[in-house]
Amino acid sequence: MSEAVDFKIVEEPKRPLAMHPKKFGLWLFMASVFILFMAFTSAYIVRRAEGNWQIFELPALFTYSTIVILLSSVTMQWTYFAVKRNQRANAKNMIVLTSVAGVIFLALQWMGWGSLIESSIHLVGNPSGSFLYIITGLHAAHIISAIVFLLVVLANALRNRFNLNQIEMCTTYWHFLGVLWLYLFVFLTLLR
Amino acid sequence: MAIHVESHSAVHAHDDHGHEHEHHHGNFWTTYIFSEDHKVIAKQFLITGMIWALIGGVLSVLFRLQLGFPEANLSWLKPVLGGWLTPEGKIDPEFYLALVTMHGTIMVFFVLTAGLSGTFSNFLIPLQVGARDMASGFMNMLSYWFFFLSSCVMFVSLFISTGPAAGGWVIYPPLSALPQAIPGSGLGMTLWLVSMALFIVSSLLGSINYITTVINLRTVGMSFTKLPLTIWAFFLTAIIGILSFPVLFAAALLLIFDRSFGTSFYLSDIYIGGEALPNQGGSPILFQHLFWFLGHPEVYIVLLPALGITSEIIATNSRKPIFGYKAMVGSMLFIAILSFVVWAHHMFVTGMNPFLGSIFTLLTLIIAVPSAVKIFNYVTTLWKGNIRFTPAMLFSIGLVSFFLTGGITGIFLGNSAVDIQLHDTYFVVAHFHLVMGSASFFGMMAGVYHWFPKMFGRMMDEKLGYLHFWLTFVGVYLVFFPMHYIGIAGFPRRYYTWTAFETFSGFADLNMLVSIAAIVTLSAQFIFLFNFIYNIFRGKLAPTNPWNSTTLEWTTPRLPGHGNWPGEIPTVYRWPYDYSKPGAKEDFIPQHIPYSETPESNLPHENDQIKLQFGDKPL
Ligand code: HEM
Ligand SMILES: [Cu+2]
């Protein structure tokens, strides 16, 4: 009898696959940002196809800003590795460096706008110019949000709090905006 | 962000030693106003949505008065409408346009998007997938408060002296871009754009949360093939939202720049009073492309949650498994994908290349296939079922009826040649009010009647529910069916009056009938409102599982507290539609009952999932 009691029926329901919810949410957010820019670039294509479209050179400064933002991705990734290896001082430096690179990027974009205005491409005027300002401006707004995120990470780091998930999310977002800019840059260069 | 996480876990730790009083750690503000609990947020969405529905309904009756009784003297409305009545006591033509515009905006976005998805996605996702709350309660709260802010801005715009936006809910430029065009394109339009920008933020926050929760917070055993169809519907809706709302944002942003900063994205060659505007090189068609790229998916954002809700209710109340679960999921998925490639069927008469028109006709007509699959499956689920006609069930069946009658007219409209005659007539109005407006509204009502016991712990009155249903069902058909004829005859929509056209005078009676039916239908909603409010406080206490349903939400206490389940979250063993399973003791087996407890009804492959084990070792 007592042996029979030891027989058990078991059912093993599987634990569903799951990611860190916040990281996952970030991916969804990036998807919607991506769609936003897809909307602008599609609108650009549709409008361009209709003719009456002013053609002009992208400012050379945008090439430099592209280099800066790509380099900042390196320092950002460096931050992540440093935190992972627990090299805290190193990590702090890299966060600062990345933020500074972000600010330089913004400054270069701003100066790029200046040189556009010098060659009399204004926000108001032919839609080809207006699109350029809107697209680059909106991208810059996202870079600002990423810098704010970096500053939050930095504030935590200065209090010696390193949250690897948070830093990973910040890194992902930063890379995303870098790649997004690369796409926009190539797009705007090829489809003038 | 880290700080937030910590404070959150502190709350949970607190929770553990004071379980009997779920709310004792929150004050009034954190419990009812800035709550992060998904159930409270759902109710906030529901109540706000209901208030908007009333406002939207009243607006529609106002313009129906003008259409049905063009000669009537409405001076008795002076206290409400003030300067919007002409001295002869008629509605001001400009205000008429504002009424139509606000009615559309309110119903599509505030009631059937925020009110429907906001309520039921929030309420049901955690309860049905077996989670303690949404992935981020804080974002969820933000989502509601952005919606609230957006509501406030839109509400305020109703009362400004130049009137609210009046360019139609689709806000086509140049009408909406030029303040000189109509009074409503001044401050009213600016407020409309601000409000919609806030609304989009709210909707994105919500959608991100819904998707994250469905994917990451399911309980043990809740695989995708065991998800209730409600969750599938909310999930796909949220994905559509994430992919389409940013496009509306882009469209609105360019419009804002055209309006306020002098750019010419949508404007070109415009003369006002003989003077040319400086704007050159824009294209108003571009706006239509951007708008309808959101606009068409938006109609499915409105409809899919309602379809999910009815799938659940029809299966429960037919006491039968849903017919074709996989086909239901597949057709929703197919509809979701197709909804992104048919937008130009709203633009057949914009001078589009006829070849392109036939491509969009083809793509549009393909949507009829998954739609028909869904209707077929609803009917086959009902077929020979042991049907219980609860109010929720009646509203669900009503939805199926509207989805069918409204969907059929879509096939006419989808033909680019036929659409030349029908575009912008009352035929279109009839089409989308049946298939989208009424169908989703009925889905929402069905949901309220069905989940009221879980939301408020009490029962609604069935008799009043029946009365509400029949008045509304008959009313809706009386309002919208005649519009098909009016539309085929060529009546354009958004016209203030037709008394000047001899051809249309023959339809005056029909218009009067429609208006009377509209008033009756709106009045019938007060029966519901009474039933709803009264029974929140006085209703019969609800049993924990009043409809003998299988899904997880009915395993919670009568009024689930913070965290939903007082003990452990139940584990899921089976799909949600084990109704009337042959051999089973009862006519339903909830999802959390293991197969090992139901040997009498297991199918062979289900028996295979039960392993015999001796001690700790498998045999
Ligand atoms: C068989 C499926 C359907 C087809 C073929 C179809 C086709 C169409 C077409 C061609 C139009 C444009 C008519 C015009 O403006 O001239 C239209 C309008 C509309 N449809 Fe559908 N439709 C279908 C189902 C739906 C569903 C399921 C919904 C909503 C849930 C919906 C909502 C709308 C709305 C809101 C409009 C009017 C928008 C406006 O101009 O204000 N349709 N439909
Ligand atoms: Cu459509």
Side-chain angles (χ1 to χ4, degrees):
Chain A
M1 272 307 267
S2 69
E3 252 180 29
V5 175
D6 267 0
F7 278 106
K8 277 194 296 205
I9 298 175
V10 287
E11 257 176 289
E12 286 161 3
K14 283 201 207 72
R15 185 167 290 281
L17 223 61
M19 255 178 96
H20 187 278
K22 289 220 167 94
K23 280 187 210 161
F24 192 86
L26 176 70
W27 279 98
L28 293 175
F29 173 71
M30 293 188 308
S32 69
V33 174
F34 176 69
I35 296 286
L36 181 64
F37 282 92
M38 286 306 284
F40 281 117
T41 48
S42 324
Y44 184 101
I45 295 173
V46 170
R47 173 60 195 79
R48 181 172 167 271
E50 280 179 21
N52 183 9
W53 183 258
Q54 189 183 352
I55 297 176
F56 55 88
E57 290 282 322
L58 277 193
L61 284 160
F62 281 2
T63 315
Y64 303 134
S65 67
T66 309
I67 296 171
V68 172
I69 201 77
L70 292 181
L71 285 179
S72 75
S73 259
V74 176
T75 55
M76 187 74 235
Q77 190 62 32
W78 204 314
T79 315
Y80 175 71
F81 286 143
V83 174
K84 221 170 172 181
R85 299 200 195 107
N86 215 8
Q87 303 161 343
R88 299 195 157 189
N90 200 348
K92 281 178 212 164
N93 292 338
M94 283 300 153
I95 298 173
V96 175
L97 214 60
T98 314
S99 324
V100 171
V103 174
I104 294 176
F105 173 81
L106 287 177
L108 286 170
Q109 298 292 85
W110 181 257
M111 284 150 58
W113 281 8
S115 74
L116 278 174
I117 288 170
E118 268 164 33
S119 46
S120 24
I121 305 294
H122 297 278
L123 170 66
V124 176
N126 190 283
S128 66
S130 314
F131 265 117
L132 189 78
Y133 282 99
I134 302 264
I135 292 176
T136 51
L138 211 63
H139 179 264
H142 285 88
I143 291 283
I144 293 176
S145 75
I147 294 180
V148 171
F149 195 175
L150 266 176
L151 293 181
V152 172
V153 173
L154 184 64
N156 279 336
L158 291 178
R159 280 181 285 153
N160 246 329
R161 295 217 305 229
F162 291 87
N163 177 337
L164 191 63
N165 276 329
Q166 191 184 49
I167 290 168
E168 190 184 331
M169 282 166 66
C170 191
T171 312
T172 313
Y173 188 42
W174 195 267
H175 290 330
F176 165 72
L177 290 182
V179 171
L180 182 63
W181 172 251
L182 197 63
Y183 159 69
L184 293 173
F185 181 70
V186 171
F187 177 90
L188 292 171
T189 314
L190 293 183
L191 289 163
R192 267 178 295 163
Chain B
M1 218 165 236
I3 299 166
H4 168 69
V5 174
E6 280 164 23
S7 70
H8 211 83
S9 51
V11 171
H12 278 299
H14 196 121
D15 224 34
D16 288 337
H17 62 80
H19 243 306
E20 32 327 350
H21 318 283
E22 259 84 16
H23 290 298
H24 85 145
H25 54 267
N27 57 25
F28 172 79
W29 288 95
T30 55
T31 311
Y32 296 107
I33 308 296
F34 295 107
S35 170
E36 294 187 10
D37 186 296
H38 71 102
K39 300 181 290 300
V40 178
I41 295 174
K43 289 177 203 167
Q44 291 172 327
F45 270 109
L46 179 61
I47 307 278
T48 319
M50 280 167 56
I51 294 172
W52 272 124
L54 265 183
I55 298 175
V58 169
L59 297 185
S60 73
V61 163
L62 285 178
F63 63 71
R64 270 321 314 182
L65 281 178
Q66 161 62 27
L67 292 172
F69 309 94
E71 313 297 340
N73 185 338
L74 303 178
S75 321
W76 53 276
L77 282 170
K78 201 96 196 166
V80 195
L81 294 183
W84 292 117
L85 286 179
T86 59
E88 304 86 65
K90 296 184 50 174
I91 289 176
D92 183 271
E94 302 284 356
F95 191 59
Y96 175 87
L97 294 177
L99 286 173
V100 190
T101 303
M102 293 317 275
H103 167 74
T105 307
I106 289 171
M107 289 304 193
V108 172
F109 293 108
F110 290 59
V111 179
L112 294 177
T113 304
L116 181 63
S117 271
T119 305
F120 290 102
S121 298
N122 267 316
F123 192 74
L124 291 179
I125 288 178
L127 282 171
Q128 290 197 334
V129 304
R132 299 240 177 248
D133 206 317
M134 280 288 173
S136 166
F138 178 69
M139 262 169 66
N140 212 14
M141 178 194 78
L142 276 187
S143 161
Y144 176 75
W145 287 103
F146 269 104
F147 169 54
F148 186 81
L149 250 164
S150 147
S151 294
C152 289
V153 176
M154 197 61 89
F155 190 71
V156 165
S157 86
L158 287 170
F159 298 98
I160 57 181
S161 66
T162 48
W169 78 278
V170 297
I171 55 156
Y172 285 174
L175 190 56
S176 61
L178 301 169
Q180 308 93 306
I182 40 169
S185 292
L187 180 61
M189 193 63 224
T190 306
L191 292 176
W192 193 99
L193 288 166
V194 171
S195 168
M196 280 320 289
L198 293 168
F199 185 90
I200 293 170
V201 173
S202 154
S203 154
L204 287 177
L205 284 169
S207 298
I208 289 179
N209 236 331
Y210 306 150
I211 299 175
T212 310
T213 310
V214 171
I215 292 200
N216 299 299
L217 267 63
R218 280 166 291 147
T219 182
V220 178
M222 183 62 92
S223 61
F224 267 95
T225 49
K226 295 198 178 83
L227 282 181
L229 286 171
T230 33
I231 304 300
W232 268 108
F234 301 150
F235 177 64
L236 292 171
T237 305
I239 294 180
I240 301 180
I242 283 199
L243 298 181
S244 63
F245 269 112
V247 182
L248 179 64
F249 190 79
L253 192 74
L254 297 186
L255 186 55
I256 290 174
F257 271 86
D258 272 7
R259 288 170 52 80
S260 312
F261 300 96
T263 56
S264 325
F265 291 108
Y266 305 135
L267 299 173
S268 190
D269 306 307
I270 292 174
Y271 293 83
I272 292 191
E275 293 273 326
L277 291 185
N279 306 69
Q280 281 300 324
S283 154
I285 304 290
L286 177 63
F287 177 86
Q288 296 197 19
H289 278 299
L290 288 174
F291 181 87
W292 285 114
F293 192 84
L294 156 97
H296 187 82
E298 166 65 22
V299 304
Y300 285 99
I301 292 178
V302 164
L303 187 67
L304 281 183
L307 291 179
I309 288 171
T310 34
S311 308
E312 192 64 26
I313 294 175
I314 286 185
T316 304
N317 290 299
S318 304
R319 312 311 291 163
K320 272 180 68 187
I322 191 86
F323 186 91
Y325 173 89
K326 290 217 170 100
M328 286 303 230
V329 175
S331 54
M332 282 198 283
L333 193 68
F334 195 38
I335 287 177
I337 295 168
L338 277 177
S339 75
F340 284 97
V341 292
V342 300
W343 78 92
H345 65 214
H346 296 275
M347 300 166 59
F348 284 144
V349 296
T350 55
M352 136 193 316
N353 181 330
F355 177 67
L356 204 60
S358 24
I359 293 187
F360 275 104
T361 294
L362 181 70
L363 288 168
T364 301
L365 295 188
I366 294 178
I367 292 205
V369 176
S371 308
V373 168
K374 292 203 72 88
I375 292 186
F376 179 81
N377 286 358
Y378 285 133
V379 175
T380 38
T381 305
L382 288 165
W383 190 256
K384 293 193 174 166
N386 200 351
I387 301 180
R388 297 185 311 202
F389 290 103
T390 63
M393 181 64 164
L394 287 174
F395 274 96
S396 304
I397 297 174
L399 177 149
V400 177
S401 160
F402 294 142
F403 188 44
L404 181 63
T405 41
I408 285 175
T409 53
I411 297 177
F412 296 69
L413 293 170
N415 284 283
S416 52
V418 180
D419 191 53
I420 296 172
Q421 160 72 5
L422 296 177
H423 177 66
D424 250 348
T425 66
Y426 270 80
F427 194 85
V428 178
V429 178
H431 159 67
F432 72 77
H433 275 91
L434 285 176
V435 77
M436 176 176 83
S438 306
S440 306
F441 179 72
F442 269 48
M444 185 165 165
M445 283 298 131
V448 174
Y449 278 106
H450 194 75
W451 280 286
F452 187 90
K454 195 80 290 176
M455 287 187 175
F456 300 101
R458 293 172 186 273
M459 304 298 283
M460 284 176 85
D461 187 82
E462 293 218 325
K463 297 247 164 49
L464 288 179
Y466 295 144
L467 189 62
H468 174 218
F469 168 77
W470 283 110
L471 285 175
T472 315
F473 184 73
V474 174
V476 163
Y477 269 125
L478 280 180
V479 171
F480 297 115
F481 214 81
M483 286 190 191
H484 292 109
Y485 301 108
I486 302 178
I488 292 171
F491 271 60
R493 57 197 281 213
R494 301 193 177 116
Y495 272 34
Y496 172 67
T497 180
W498 293 291
T499 41
F501 307 106
E502 198 44 50
T503 359
F504 292 152
S505 55
F507 288 96
D509 294 349
L510 210 51
N511 266 317
M512 202 189 294
L513 170 77
V514 167
S515 295
I516 293 171
I519 294 169
V520 173
T521 315
L522 178 70
S523 316
Q525 306 317 306
F526 288 93
I527 303 173
F528 167 76
L529 219 59
F530 168 78
N531 195 354
F532 182 83
I533 297 175
Y534 181 84
N535 286 311
I536 288 180
F537 303 103
R538 296 287 173 80
K540 212 165 70 225
L541 288 192
T544 48
N545 189 357
W547 319 118
N548 289 342
S549 206
T550 52
T551 37
L552 288 184
E553 76 271 29
W554 305 106
T555 62
T556 60
R558 184 176 71 93
L559 268 179
H562 194 61
N564 295 343
W565 286 269
E568 251 178 70
I569 301 180
T571 299
V572 164
Y573 296 92
R574 57 179 77 231
W575 78 326
Y577 299 104
D578 266 349
Y579 289 109
S580 304
K581 205 173 180 190
K585 292 193 202 90
E586 275 179 282
D587 71 346
F588 71 109
I589 312 175
Q591 283 193 280
H592 68 285
I593 306 292
Y595 288 119
S596 52
E597 287 178 22
T598 57
E600 66 282 357
S601 65
N602 287 352
L603 300 170
H605 72 273
E606 292 166 348
N607 271 325
D608 291 347
Q609 303 192 16
I610 314 173
K611 292 186 212 111
L612 267 182
Q613 191 167 296
F614 179 68
D616 286 334
K617 287 179 223 84
L619 275 182

